[in-house]
Amino acid sequence: MAKPDGATGVDVVVQGVEKRFGLVVALDGLHLHLQAGIHLLLAGANGAGKTTLLRLIAGLASPSRGTISVDGVDPRKHHNVRRHIGLLSHQPLLYRELTARENLQFFAHLYDLPVGAVEAALQRARLGRHADRPVHGFSQGMKQRLALARATLHRPKLLLLDEPFTGLDRESSQSLTDQLVERLAEEDASSVLVTHRGSEAARLVNRVAVLRRGRVAGEHEWTPSAVEGPLMQLCQRLGAEAAS
Ligand code: ATP
């Protein structure tokens, strides 16, 4: 995905961040600068610290040391900045007994959003026909499309995507990727993606950072035409590293 001119996504600055869980050092003095308009693939073997970093950026946990700023402020101290952040993981975190519409209405209520936002989001997620069905009858792909609709209902300027394709077949992954491409372009949002799925990532990112043992081991710019080959190789290598 190309970097749009005059992008309005938010800046994220991670400086010297350490995160410990008891004796485990998940992040070890990590530095990263995500400028507005960047769509970053965070690559790395299992346990490299990817999810931990996303949770810190989202303001869901505090670093043990170092600082994180999103749009110039600490997301743990300035809760308003969290309104600019959307988080989608492989766990849809939907209410199974509620319908698709009710799930979005509940979230809209929390964020004080207009009712019209829900209807528009259902249409964009291609779930209009299924809006009044309880979520427990949905396929995994439909659940993830609904989860994305929920994660972007408040029109975040930063989208954090933690293994969003896990458990999806090829067709559902492509459909979710189509929707992600649309959302990111429409909202002019920045994004950070964690995935081992090279072909999906190739459509979504313009930069790659490789994490190794809680640090950024390398960062590369990718152009849309150059992204597919090297990115696939990188993902395969990291997949092999993770399995060994
Ligand atoms: P994966 O690809 O397997 O999801 P990851 O790169 O996302 O891995 P993290 O989940 O961030 O890695 O974990 C980094 C390290 O921190 C791992 O050693 C993990 O076991 C540890 N860790 C993460 N969360 C916790 C926690 N809540 N309590 C204890 N250890 C944790």
Side-chain angles (χ1 to χ4, degrees):
M1 178 176 284
K3 178 176 175 175
D5 290 334
T8 58
V10 297
D11 253 40
V12 178
V13 182
V14 178
Q15 282 184 308
V17 161
E18 187 180 298
K19 180 65 179 175
R20 288 176 177 269
F21 298 101
L23 293 176
V24 176
V25 181
L27 298 178
D28 188 12
L30 185 141
H31 294 273
L32 185 72
H33 185 189
L34 181 79
Q35 288 170 304
I38 292 290
H39 299 282
L40 183 77
L41 172 70
L42 207 52
N46 293 130
K50 305 178 295 294
T51 295
T52 302
L53 179 58
L54 287 193
R55 286 179 52 78
L56 294 186
I57 293 172
L60 297 175
S62 297
S64 311
R65 198 181 287 230
T67 59
I68 295 192
S69 83
V70 177
D71 210 17
V73 299
D74 181 344
R76 290 292 280 178
K77 293 188 182 142
H78 298 260
H79 287 201
N80 269 355
V81 81
R82 294 204 213 165
R83 295 183 75 100
H84 296 310
I85 302 173
L87 177 64
L88 176 67
S89 78
H90 52 279
Q91 293 167 322
L93 301 178
L94 299 164
Y95 292 96
R96 287 170 45 79
E97 305 307 323
L98 298 186
T99 66
R101 180 178 277 117
E102 287 166 345
N103 265 280
L104 293 187
Q105 282 171 340
F106 178 70
F107 195 71
H109 180 68
L110 284 183
Y111 275 85
D112 206 14
L113 299 172
V115 179
V118 169
E119 297 311 313
L122 285 166
Q123 296 309 321
R124 282 196 308 254
R126 296 175 195 116
L127 289 170
R129 283 190 303 125
H130 307 285
D132 294 316
R133 284 178 52 197
V135 163
H136 62 69
F138 279 16
S139 69
Q140 200 61 25
M142 289 164 74
K143 284 183 195 163
Q144 272 304 71
R145 295 212 307 278
L146 182 59
L148 175 62
R150 190 212 55 217
T152 54
L153 198 61
H154 56 304
R155 310 188 67 175
K157 291 288 171 203
L158 173 65
L159 198 50
L160 304 174
L161 305 162
D162 191 2
E163 304 272 12
F165 310 111
T166 300
L168 299 188
D169 59 25
R170 183 59 64 199
E171 196 183 326
S172 302
S173 290
Q174 282 170 357
S175 168
L176 186 68
T177 306
D178 291 344
Q179 308 239 323
L180 281 165
V181 169
E182 280 174 28
R183 290 288 73 67
L184 291 169
E186 247 171 51
E187 305 305 341
D188 203 5
S190 314
S191 61
V192 184
L193 168 67
V194 174
T195 186
H196 292 290
R197 301 275 190 98
S199 54
E200 283 81 354
R203 293 182 56 205
L204 291 165
V205 305
N206 54 20
R207 198 165 177 82
V208 178
V210 180
L211 248 63
R212 184 162 291 146
R213 298 196 183 106
R215 287 172 177 238
V216 175
E219 236 188 296
H220 314 270
E221 189 93 34
W222 298 104
T223 61
S225 57
V227 79
E228 187 94 29
L231 190 52
M232 292 290 270
Q233 286 166 20
L234 177 68
C235 289
Q236 277 163 9
R237 210 178 70 223
L238 290 167
E241 195 178 303
S244 64

